[in-house]
Amino acid sequence: MVKSASSPVKITVSSAGKESGSRSMGLTSPIPRRASISSSASPLGGGGNRRASSGGRYSSTTKDDPIEEMNSEFVSYTVHIPPTPDHRSISASQTSLNEGGNDGLKLKPERSFISGTIFTGGYNSVTRGHVIDCSLEKPDTMKSGLICGMRGCDEKVVQGQCECGFKVCRDCYLDCIGSGGGRCPGCKEPYKDTSDGDDDEDEDEVSSEEEEDQAFPLPSIADFKLDKRLSLVKSFKGLNHQPDFDHTRWLFETKGTYGYGNAVWPKDGYEAGSGANGFEHPPDFAERCKRPLTRKVGVSAAILSPYRLLIILRLVALSFFLTWRIRHPNRDAMWLWGMSITCELWFAFSWVLDQLPKLCPVNRITDLSVLKQRFESPNLRNPKGRSDLPGIDVFVSTADPEKEPPLVTANTILSILAVDYPVEKLACYLSDDGGALLTFEALAETASFARIWVPFCRKHDIHPRNPEAYFGQKRDFLKNKVRLDFVRERRRVKREYDEFKVRINSLPDSIRRRSDAYNAHEEIRAKKKQMEMGDNLSDPIKIPKATWMSDGSHWPGTWASAESDHSKGDHAGIIQVMLAPPNAESVYGAEADGENLIDTTEVDIRLPMLVYVSREKRPGYDHNKKAGAMNALVRTSAIMSNGPFILNLDCDHYVYNSLALREGMCFMLDRGGDRICYVQFPQRFEGIDPNDRYANHNTVFFDVSMRALDGLQGPMYVGTGCIFRRTALYGFSPPRATEHHGWFGRRKIKLTLRKPKVTKKAEDEMVVPINGENNDDDDADIESLLLPKRFGNSTSLASSIPVAEYQGRLLQDVQGKGNKGRPAGSLAVPREPLDAAIVAEAISVISCFYEDKTEWGKRVGWIYGSVTEDVVTGYRMHNRGWRSVYCVTKKDAFRGTAPINLTDRLHQVLRWATGSVEIFFSRNNALFASHRMKFLQRVAYFNVGMYPFTSMFLLVYCILPAVSLFSGQFIVQSLSVTFLIFLLAITITLCLLAILEIKWSGITLHDWWRNEQFWLIGGTSAHPAAVLQGLLKVIAGVDISFTLTSKSATPDDGDDEFADLYVVKWSFLMVPPITIMMVNMIAIAVGVARTMYSMFPQWSKLVGGVFFSFWVLCHLYPFAKGLMGRRGKVPTIVFVWSGLLSIIVSLLWVYINPPSGGRQDLMKFQFP
């Protein structure tokens, strides 16, 4: 109901007739409604069929007088529509709204808005949103020149279809050609050109994502017959006169627009009388902002050019050095020379593999203001300004509550629920692969506390939104806080969080006591039954030690005392919706009182959907560890929420930057984003010792290597902190790809993989079935028949695939030429409600046998067969032609924990290296990559599978200095000037490269040095073991099993935060580094003693051997420090005995193998 020009529109929404047999989605309300009068004159349109819980709906504007004969309940929605050029108010003298109902009812409001939207639907029809039909006194002539003139259509106009100037959109134009006899609806004359442009469009080459869309031909002045309110202004600058800067034209060509002007500009620039009529249409202010969502920022040429030059210089120096080494062998110790030159050749090859992908580093930035303006601003199709962003499903995985504390997982879930993203577009799924009741009840407690924590974060803009991290901050929490109630509400929430922690920590004991009580009660009942039956009371009664839920029923998952159907590898599938899907409209809370801790009258208190999932496990099935759990979540989420994008997080990685999801979506929704399979964020860690003893931050990889890969085809997937495109996970090919042929892939061939007509398709090519495409061939039917074989026999899962593909498309105004996009506002509709049938279908797709005879784990979803399933999954996507993007935010996107204990860190590196060895011996080796992968990207992936083998040469090279000192020989005949110059050149270029890498990546010298140290520690411990395990698996078929990496829990007050750093846990991986350290220390002592007591001391060989031994010991220093435990607790006697032992061994060696001169001269010492 509209009372004045400044008042909002009141839209009455009512249901269709009871006889409606189909269901559709419009403006919905959670309360049921009965039948009302339906409007037969309401414009109907086509759309995708969707399930809903109510019938078709229509809306109408009403005056103060009530509508007669209205026999149903109704719900009013108030829509605030500001007067803009596209949303213009029209007075009652100009406007009348005629809606014909079944009884000819006419509604004549005093004032209306052109942009008011109605949603229509009915029996056997689909639902579609339309602009309210406003008929002016001059019929159809006052309709905006930018909107189609057909009744009930609000699409954009395609110019120049008919000389009469009648405005028609592309769809209506095709309808007129097909069913309207090819005649113009305005002048009733046949169109001159009735050919369909689809085929011509499909035959054009698809431009790259950087190209701008080509504009349509500009219309002549004849097209302005209906726009009489516009005056025509023309520039009269001379033809030969250089035009000055035209400030008026600047208003229309830049973001400095002040409003809708009245100038119609020349078609061909500033020249007078240019073009046929010399004029063009005014700019279309209804279109979205054309600014890009992201920008690529290259590294400064002042840094990058010298960096590339140094790589070339070092490569040349290495070539000359190795050539000189080969041509000048050490004749006195050929075996020593042979081992050293072999290792040096391999090191040079490994360095080239590591350095080549670093030639093109880039940085990227996003513009969140453009994202908000484009997807969350009111417009013609979306007058309420609902979010048009696509949905995101967040996956969190956990497997063992003992090694992954429930409180850590709970904080991660809370940070996800409080993220700054449209609530109705977000869904969170927790995969509990252990099926533990402890995790289940901890998640229930988390859902309860989220009703307090999430509104508190939204109201006061809390960062970070992990309560443990927020309350544990040591900075001033009052900074930038202006609300007077902040301190009081923070104190209340802090107290509630402390109680929440106590409840979580007490859950194990609570579950145990509850289960013991119920089990004792069951034993008593069994005893009574035994007495009633008259059985012998001395016979033992076997009562299973069950784990009980709080409602007095058996937990269907894993029991504390394992039983059949209730163990970690044998339990039923479980799905529990902890938080139901929210309403589409915002819901505001109440004032603070006894029940509400904080005042939420101005805060949206809705929460995203939260689901607990534990897939079914049975003996005899290979459940494929984490990859299998993630694939189960993919199928479950496809049926329950079907977000077109998926965010994957570990249970200990929480959302530190609440805008991280929006920044990731900027890349997915920008021009060219349809070719991006995932957006990878860097991993950042907390709880690491300040010195980062074991290089846990791994900044060289995340800030150097990954940034460099971003300049190629994209970074690798590293297991967490990654936003996926769902269709890419399904194994489909990108819409466009480029094949690289010739030397180093210099010859490029562009491919379009989703055209209706494809002459030849690769054997493993999968094309997304797109609704609405009219394919002349049978490719679409073949793809539909293959869906059950690839994805399983769930029809709901198969039908969700094209929906996810459509929702993940770019908008039509940013999509490239020849590509299909979705219209703006198409996702601003409420989500379908969940019902029992949907959950039952979701249960069926997480059964243990669902993946049998399908392509899950082979091509679809996370790939099986490797302990590093993340790298293999990303490699498969890149191999199909997809691109990925590295998103480094100013404020860390996610933060997690890393093992700071030496043994745990070595086992983590062992798992990664073993996965790399598996990749090297599998079909995922980059040597077998397709032509769609760039050459340097292929080099990077090849290095991933190759780097563990460097450890075999590294072990030998670390022993060579000791062997040299023991034998008195060196790798060269003598320390000549040539050798020293080459060595100096190689070392200086390495240091300069490191400095430039530090400059363009932003890391520190300390980070670089720690990475170098741990490279040698891992290369002499975990990497050789990984090579051995990989060879055993390939040759002998020995399966590899790894234990889950323990996640550090939050330390109690007063405890040492880094106590785990000093714990020494013995492992076989420590044997090689300890041996290398002892051998080199003893060798130094032996070499010094040998030289000092020699009649002809060879100091040059001693200096060379001691230098390289010292180089090895410096790299192993963090390892030695880790073996000592806590500082100050190593007894002094240990160092004393170590020194004495070295002296004794060195003297014994000199006595056994005396230097030249005989035993009689051993005690004679003389300085050189």
Side-chain angles (χ1 to χ4, degrees), residues 437 514 518 546-556 559:
L437 179 60
R514 179 204 310 155
Y518 276 112
T547 298
W548 295 77
M549 302 174 66
S550 58
D551 60 354
S553 59
H554 281 180
W555 168 242
W559 289 354

Side-chain angles (χ1 to χ4, degrees), residues 218-221 224 232 249 253 263-269 277-283:
L218 296 175
S220 64
I221 193 61
F224 284 90
L232 307 179
R249 186 180 179 93
E253 292 186 343
V264 182
W265 288 95
K267 192 176 182 181
D268 299 321
N277 297 294
F279 297 97
E280 64 179 3
H281 268 295

